[in-house]
Amino acid sequence: MTSVTFTLGQLADRLGATLRGAADMPITGLATLQEAQAGQLSFLANPQYRKFLADNQAAAVLLSPEDVEGYSGAALIVANPYLSFAQLSHLFDPRPVSMAGAHPTAVIAGDAQVDASASIGPYVVIESGAKIAAGVTVGAHCFIGARSEIAENGWLAPRVTLYHDVRIGKRVVIHTGVVLGADGFGFANDKGIWQKIAQIGGVLIGDDVDIGANTTIDRGALGDTVIGDGVKLDNLIMIAHNVQVGDHSAMAGGAGISGSSKIGKHCMLAGRVGLVGHIDVCDNVFVTGMTMVTRSITEPGSYSSGTAMQPSAEWRKSAARFRQLDDMARRLQQLEKRLAAVTVSDQDSSEA
Amino acid sequence: MTSVTFTLGQLADRLGATLRGAADMPITGLATLQEAQAGQLSFLANPQYRKFLADNQAAAVLLSPEDVEGYSGAALIVANPYLSFAQLSHLFDPRPVSMAGAHPTAVIAGDAQVDASASIGPYVVIESGAKIAAGVTVGAHCFIGARSEIAENGWLAPRVTLYHDVRIGKRVVIHTGVVLGADGFGFANDKGIWQKIAQIGGVLIGDDVDIGANTTIDRGALGDTVIGDGVKLDNLIMIAHNVQVGDHSAMAGGAGISGSSKIGKHCMLAGRVGLVGHIDVCDNVFVTGMTMVTRSITEPGSYSSGTAMQPSAEWRKSAARFRQLDDMARRLQQLEKRLAAVTVSDQDSSEA
Amino acid sequence: MTSVTFTLGQLADRLGATLRGAADMPITGLATLQEAQAGQLSFLANPQYRKFLADNQAAAVLLSPEDVEGYSGAALIVANPYLSFAQLSHLFDPRPVSMAGAHPTAVIAGDAQVDASASIGPYVVIESGAKIAAGVTVGAHCFIGARSEIAENGWLAPRVTLYHDVRIGKRVVIHTGVVLGADGFGFANDKGIWQKIAQIGGVLIGDDVDIGANTTIDRGALGDTVIGDGVKLDNLIMIAHNVQVGDHSAMAGGAGISGSSKIGKHCMLAGRVGLVGHIDVCDNVFVTGMTMVTRSITEPGSYSSGTAMQPSAEWRKSAARFRQLDDMARRLQQLEKRLAAVTVSDQDSSEA
């Protein structure tokens, strides 16, 4: 790992934090409360980790005004310690910085526009009419298809593929293996034979979007597949053709959105959530892990499906009974009727 | 986007359609009924969109003989509008056309056979004994392993990997990130330690197969993994070693087939369907999204598993009860017995 | 396919097997009992295939001392036929052997250390400070990030990406499309806007690990994501930041482990199993396919969730009733109370 050092005072200035402790204390890294060692800055964001505060070995801790009470060690007092930690994390990021200019092995079409401040890695291929704006990094082995565009300060890891007519906003981060603009899954069935429908739309990605490793976003059949500003996508996610994802929504690993579905703003889909096609999910919806979303959601809130884990021997019994559920429900109803009848007749007989 | 123009008459000729309207009307693109603008051709395939027909702005519409009745605008009358739309879509596809010949940066083994009409992109690697037939496109950064073969008119997007001994039929379309012929997941357990079993089979892909982005098809352990003619695979699908998929079957995104399972012809697996290994699914089976197929299917039809989505607070109650299902079923049975006994004794007492 | 020939005696020597049959019998390949043809060696490991032993066409069969009784053909008698088959499989592996040295197109940083016996394929990029040990194969189009290290005798397929600070043990096998060290999915929410947390940890992979095609293992947020010795990962698996996987555990295709979860030693996760974050799974746990693991597991054993497949028409009824389960359970309880009351009153009346 590379190493950098800041003083506690420098970090306080950067955050606008209230400093408690020596301003010249050197900080060489960040760590959790349990793992922090001398020279490292830690933070307390989740109340369940408060128990680790007393005995921590960190040089100083990012704390809220409430949590700093009763704590005697060095601290940076901030309104939102987790957010402050996020801001400082970039100072200690060992990711190599890319240099402006194109590697001599890059194959760049004559009519592509590549800003002089962009960094184009080895073996990159940039096709006709593509545009790479100022401050963009295009990692090794990336492929930028015809007429595709990457706006200012984007960062593409090695081996990202953009097909043709993919437009990407500012400050977008795209990880290795991502595929933007592959064909949507569109076929017309002709007496049992699938006939391909050319996917002639594109992909439109907003500003400040992050896309995780090996995620795929297909091009539209007609019109674009659209990802809003500030959307965060984890790894191995599948976004089908003509999906629309609203601003500042987030999806964890393995989520999958079928064709033409629309997701609102500020939604969160946990890992492996799946949506069927042609449905709408409104703003501010949270969906728990591995849920199958089979219909539109019109009310904000949290949604789930599936069953809870059991030891397999018990689960097999539950699963067998699940198949009998309708029968059980009918028998239950019948019992209620019969019991009501018995109770009445019983009352009759006792009244008699 | 690039643009092309056809006349309505040219399109009618191409489809063998009955033309209603001006034969010289220029058509510059395709669009849905809701989004079509002047100059664009639209179509009506799904009855639920019939409501958009009256007010559409399209230059002309692909219509069935039934739907054209009562419609006064320009139309191309065809038996199957969706299929005709599929056929015309290729005319308006902005995908760049590849040029015959190998890019000078391609690394091609001396004994590989590459047809002069094939297009080999930048930084492609083709290994010993591979064969690339006439009319094939191999996109940038593709890797074609030893002895692998691609038959006539295949189209490989940039960054597709074929290991050794992978044979691909005619007119196959393979998207970025696809991996054909990686090792199947085969290990022998030796007192808790996994010992690798070399995967010495290959992969065999039929004609007219489409494979979506980041899908993986593993090589066989012994013998080949086999994908039939006309099979359509969406993105991020996993086909394990020695699986066989029958002709004209289709799988949506994220489907996964475990080792040695066989799927029949004309099957459809919706998104995220999973099959355990060593089972058989007969022809003409449809499996709904996210279903876990745990046993062979011997009858055509539609199959499902999982539970329907609920608000999380309600779902937690259902999920808790699911674990009690066997107990509930036993108590229900006991109630039935006891009530029968009561009813009898009640009858006895009332008869008495 | 390439072909090699050994004599039965050579194979017996290699395994320390008891030879029954002609030592000079030529063996040209391996096959299952059902498919074996003249010249091929087969094996009987799974008792359910014993029925194929009598009529098999193999030149010889790997058999346990028990199974060889009553079998009159040529055989290699060994304690564990499946393990012996695994050992012999590598002799017949048609995978091309890579040659020592770096392809002239490889772009290798001046301060990277690449052992002279390592094989570096075409268009590989190796960044500053990386270390490639003796006997390592780095396939075409691989990217080895800054300071990343691959220990002795590793084998990387074409197109594997290691970000910076990824350290890999000895004899590791990594398949195409694998991404090691992409950013973990870490963001702090600032009034609805996601602020990225730099992922400043690394990835640590033990010895003898296998990683399947298109699997992704993210770098730690703080500290490393850790994969133990002998771990086997299938395709399209997602390992999130700061996960720890214990030695000799195995996961089948599409498994997903959320951030900071810990999996013990000798665990097996079947296909598509998902774990939520921040939980612990103890040693020797088996989880069946597509199970959602929502809490820590503290006892060895087998665990499951989900429902069993049904014809869709029946499933829809079960799924509808699942939503009513809590209501059903309450009604069942009430019935029990009411029936108890009736029975008592009935007994009262009959006693009267």
Side-chain angles (χ1 to χ4, degrees):
Chain A
M1 299 271 175
T2 53
S3 87
V4 290
T5 302
F6 294 86
T7 67
L8 193 58
Q10 287 173 321
L11 300 180
D13 287 350
R14 212 171 261 263
L15 295 172
T18 301
L19 167 66
R20 201 172 74 185
D24 61 352
M25 186 187 299
I27 300 295
T28 58
L30 303 174
T32 61
L33 277 176
Q34 302 106 288
E35 295 182 351
Q37 300 173 347
Q40 293 182 312
L41 178 71
S42 191
F43 63 101
L44 174 56
N46 185 334
Q48 76 180 88
Y49 292 109
R50 194 172 288 140
K51 60 190 173 194
F52 298 115
L53 185 59
D55 293 336
N56 84 81
Q57 305 296 311
V61 183
L62 285 162
L63 289 172
S64 68
E66 301 79 50
D67 283 323
V68 81
E69 288 183 31
Y71 180 68
S72 57
L76 296 181
I77 306 165
V78 293
N80 183 340
Y82 197 54
L83 182 60
S84 294
F85 162 68
Q87 290 166 334
L88 294 187
S89 68
H90 297 275
L91 302 179
F92 297 94
D93 191 349
R95 172 181 294 175
V97 175
S98 52
M99 301 208 313
H103 193 274
T105 59
V107 172
I108 302 175
D111 64 349
Q113 298 174 36
V114 178
D115 190 273
S117 67
S119 171
I120 310 297
Y123 301 126
V124 165
V125 174
I126 300 179
E127 300 238 296
S128 173
K131 293 182 186 171
I132 312 292
V136 168
T137 294
V138 179
H141 302 124
C142 282
F143 178 91
I144 312 298
R147 301 175 300 278
S148 285
E149 304 182 12
I150 306 172
E152 285 72 16
N153 298 312
W155 186 88
L156 275 62
R159 200 215 318 157
V160 169
T161 296
L162 276 58
Y163 281 56
H164 51 285
D165 300 308
V166 174
R167 287 166 296 155
I168 292 182
K170 296 172 184 171
R171 298 172 300 277
V172 164
V173 171
I174 308 182
H175 284 281
T176 295
V178 167
V179 184
L180 303 181
D183 282 349
F185 197 60
F187 301 89
N189 198 298
D190 182 21
K191 295 162 196 152
I193 309 295
W194 297 104
Q195 301 293 348
K196 185 176 180 71
I197 298 168
Q199 302 292 300
I200 65 185
V203 175
L204 188 58
I205 308 276
D207 296 334
D208 300 301
V209 170
D210 272 56
I211 307 178
N214 284 352
T215 282
T216 71
I217 303 178
D218 283 353
R219 65 191 315 106
L222 297 167
D224 291 337
T225 303
V226 180
I227 308 295
D229 291 339
V231 168
K232 307 300 178 185
L233 303 178
D234 199 356
N235 299 1
L236 289 163
I237 287 171
M238 156 71 176
I239 307 281
H241 51 181
N242 297 102
V243 164
Q244 297 182 33
V245 180
D247 297 346
H248 309 297
S249 284
M251 301 184 199
I257 315 298
S258 302
S260 299
S261 281
K262 286 174 68 171
I263 294 174
K265 297 178 182 180
H266 300 288
C267 289
M268 291 179 64
L269 308 188
R272 230 49 101 53
V273 165
L275 267 76
V276 299
H278 298 274
I279 62 171
D280 284 13
V281 171
C282 67
D283 297 347
N284 296 302
V285 165
F286 178 77
V287 185
T288 62
M290 297 176 79
T291 291
M292 169 166 69
V293 182
T294 49
R295 54 185 171 79
S296 289
I297 299 180
T298 56
E299 293 294 325
S302 177
Y303 296 84
S304 305
S305 78
T307 80
M309 184 185 70
Q310 296 175 270
S312 299
E314 296 173 25
W315 173 81
R316 271 189 289 272
K317 292 180 194 170
S318 298
R321 296 299 186 184
F322 180 82
R323 297 205 254 184
Q324 305 164 0
L325 257 183
D326 192 54
D327 177 59
M328 282 173 63
R330 289 171 190 283
R331 285 159 55 200
L332 183 62
Q333 213 165 2
Q334 205 159 39
L335 271 181
E336 287 171 327
K337 280 187 198 161
R338 285 169 55 197
L339 187 59
V342 168
T343 315
V344 168
S345 76
D346 189 67
Q347 286 176 334
D348 288 351
S349 62
S350 56
E351 276 168 14
Chain B
M1 299 274 175
T2 53
S3 87
V4 290
T5 301
F6 294 85
T7 67
L8 193 58
Q10 287 174 321
L11 299 180
D13 287 350
R14 210 170 262 263
L15 296 172
T18 302
L19 168 65
R20 201 173 72 186
D24 62 352
M25 185 187 300
I27 300 294
T28 59
L30 303 175
T32 61
L33 276 176
Q34 301 107 288
E35 296 181 351
Q37 300 174 348
Q40 293 182 312
L41 177 70
S42 191
F43 63 100
L44 174 56
N46 185 334
Q48 76 177 90
Y49 292 108
R50 194 172 288 139
K51 60 189 172 193
F52 297 115
L53 184 59
D55 293 336
N56 85 82
Q57 305 296 312
V61 182
L62 285 162
L63 289 171
S64 67
E66 302 79 50
D67 284 322
V68 81
E69 288 183 32
Y71 181 68
S72 58
L76 296 181
I77 306 166
V78 293
N80 182 342
Y82 198 55
L83 183 59
S84 294
F85 162 68
Q87 291 166 335
L88 294 187
S89 67
H90 298 276
L91 301 179
F92 297 94
D93 191 350
R95 171 180 293 174
V97 175
S98 51
M99 301 209 310
H103 193 275
T105 59
V107 172
I108 302 175
D111 64 349
Q113 298 175 35
V114 178
D115 190 273
S117 67
S119 171
I120 310 296
Y123 302 126
V124 165
V125 175
I126 300 179
E127 300 237 296
S128 173
K131 294 183 188 170
I132 312 292
V136 169
T137 293
V138 178
H141 303 124
C142 282
F143 178 92
I144 311 298
R147 301 175 301 276
S148 284
E149 304 182 12
I150 306 171
E152 284 72 16
N153 297 313
W155 186 88
L156 274 62
R159 201 215 318 158
V160 169
T161 296
L162 276 59
Y163 281 58
H164 50 286
D165 300 308
V166 173
R167 287 166 296 155
I168 292 182
K170 296 173 185 170
R171 298 172 300 278
V172 164
V173 171
I174 308 183
H175 283 282
T176 295
V178 167
V179 183
L180 303 181
D183 283 348
F185 197 59
F187 300 89
N189 198 298
D190 181 20
K191 296 164 195 149
I193 310 295
W194 297 104
Q195 302 293 348
K196 186 176 179 69
I197 299 169
Q199 302 292 299
I200 65 187
V203 175
L204 188 58
I205 308 276
D207 295 335
D208 299 302
V209 170
D210 273 56
I211 307 179
N214 284 352
T215 282
T216 71
I217 303 177
D218 283 352
R219 64 191 315 107
L222 298 167
D224 290 338
T225 303
V226 180
I227 308 295
D229 291 340
V231 169
K232 307 300 179 186
L233 303 178
D234 199 356
N235 299 1
L236 289 163
I237 287 172
M238 156 71 178
I239 307 281
H241 51 183
N242 296 102
V243 164
Q244 296 182 32
V245 180
D247 297 347
H248 309 296
S249 283
M251 301 185 200
I257 314 298
S258 302
S260 299
S261 282
K262 286 175 68 171
I263 294 175
K265 297 178 182 180
H266 300 288
C267 289
M268 290 180 64
L269 308 188
R272 231 48 101 54
V273 165
L275 267 77
V276 299
H278 297 273
I279 61 172
D280 283 14
V281 171
C282 67
D283 296 349
N284 295 303
V285 165
F286 178 77
V287 184
T288 62
M290 297 175 79
T291 291
M292 169 165 68
V293 182
T294 49
R295 55 187 171 78
S296 289
I297 299 178
T298 56
E299 293 294 324
S302 177
Y303 296 84
S304 305
S305 78
T307 80
M309 185 184 68
Q310 295 176 271
S312 298
E314 295 171 25
W315 173 81
R316 271 189 289 272
K317 292 181 194 170
S318 297
R321 296 299 186 186
F322 180 82
R323 296 204 254 185
Q324 305 163 2
L325 256 183
D326 192 53
D327 177 59
M328 283 173 62
R330 289 172 190 282
R331 285 159 53 200
L332 183 62
Q333 212 165 2
Q334 205 159 40
L335 272 181
E336 287 171 327
K337 280 187 197 158
R338 285 170 55 198
L339 187 60
V342 169
T343 316
V344 169
S345 77
D346 188 68
Q347 286 176 334
D348 288 352
S349 62
S350 57
E351 276 167 14
Chain C
M1 299 273 175
T2 52
S3 88
V4 290
T5 302
F6 294 85
T7 67
L8 193 58
Q10 287 173 320
L11 299 181
D13 287 350
R14 211 171 261 263
L15 296 173
T18 301
L19 168 65
R20 200 171 74 185
D24 62 351
M25 185 186 300
I27 300 295
T28 60
L30 303 175
T32 61
L33 277 175
Q34 302 105 290
E35 296 181 351
Q37 299 174 346
Q40 294 183 310
L41 177 70
S42 192
F43 63 99
L44 174 57
N46 185 334
Q48 75 178 89
Y49 292 108
R50 194 170 288 140
K51 60 190 173 193
F52 298 115
L53 184 59
D55 293 336
N56 85 81
Q57 305 297 311
V61 183
L62 284 162
L63 288 172
S64 67
E66 301 79 50
D67 283 323
V68 81
E69 287 182 32
Y71 181 67
S72 57
L76 296 182
I77 307 167
V78 293
N80 183 342
Y82 197 54
L83 182 59
S84 294
F85 162 67
Q87 290 166 335
L88 294 187
S89 68
H90 297 276
L91 301 179
F92 297 94
D93 190 350
R95 172 181 293 174
V97 175
S98 51
M99 301 209 311
H103 192 274
T105 60
V107 172
I108 303 176
D111 65 348
Q113 298 175 36
V114 178
D115 191 273
S117 66
S119 171
I120 310 297
Y123 301 126
V124 165
V125 174
I126 300 179
E127 299 237 295
S128 173
K131 294 183 187 171
I132 312 292
V136 168
T137 294
V138 179
H141 302 124
C142 282
F143 178 91
I144 312 297
R147 301 175 300 276
S148 284
E149 303 182 12
I150 306 171
E152 284 73 14
N153 298 313
W155 186 87
L156 274 62
R159 201 216 317 158
V160 169
T161 295
L162 277 57
Y163 281 57
H164 50 286
D165 301 308
V166 173
R167 287 166 295 155
I168 292 182
K170 297 174 185 171
R171 297 172 300 276
V172 163
V173 171
I174 308 182
H175 283 282
T176 294
V178 167
V179 184
L180 303 181
D183 282 349
F185 197 60
F187 300 89
N189 198 298
D190 182 21
K191 295 161 195 151
I193 310 296
W194 297 104
Q195 302 293 348
K196 185 177 180 70
I197 298 169
Q199 303 291 300
I200 66 186
V203 175
L204 188 58
I205 308 276
D207 295 334
D208 300 301
V209 170
D210 273 56
I211 307 178
N214 284 352
T215 283
T216 70
I217 303 178
D218 283 352
R219 64 191 315 106
L222 298 167
D224 290 338
T225 303
V226 180
I227 308 295
D229 291 339
V231 168
K232 307 299 179 186
L233 303 178
D234 199 357
N235 298 1
L236 289 164
I237 287 172
M238 156 69 176
I239 307 281
H241 51 181
N242 297 102
V243 163
Q244 297 181 32
V245 180
D247 298 346
H248 309 297
S249 283
M251 301 185 201
I257 315 298
S258 302
S260 300
S261 281
K262 286 174 69 171
I263 294 174
K265 298 179 182 181
H266 300 288
C267 290
M268 291 179 65
L269 307 188
R272 230 49 101 54
V273 165
L275 266 77
V276 298
H278 298 273
I279 61 172
D280 284 13
V281 171
C282 67
D283 297 347
N284 295 303
V285 164
F286 178 76
V287 184
T288 63
M290 296 176 78
T291 291
M292 168 167 68
V293 182
T294 49
R295 53 184 171 80
S296 289
I297 299 179
T298 56
E299 294 293 324
S302 177
Y303 295 84
S304 304
S305 78
T307 80
M309 185 184 69
Q310 296 175 271
S312 298
E314 295 172 25
W315 172 81
R316 271 189 288 272
K317 292 180 194 170
S318 298
R321 296 299 187 186
F322 179 82
R323 297 204 253 183
Q324 305 163 1
L325 256 184
D326 191 54
D327 177 60
M328 282 173 63
R330 288 173 190 282
R331 285 159 54 200
L332 183 62
Q333 213 166 2
Q334 205 157 39
L335 271 181
E336 287 171 327
K337 279 187 196 160
R338 285 170 55 198
L339 186 60
V342 168
T343 316
V344 169
S345 76
D346 188 67
Q347 286 177 333
D348 288 352
S349 63
S350 57
E351 277 167 13

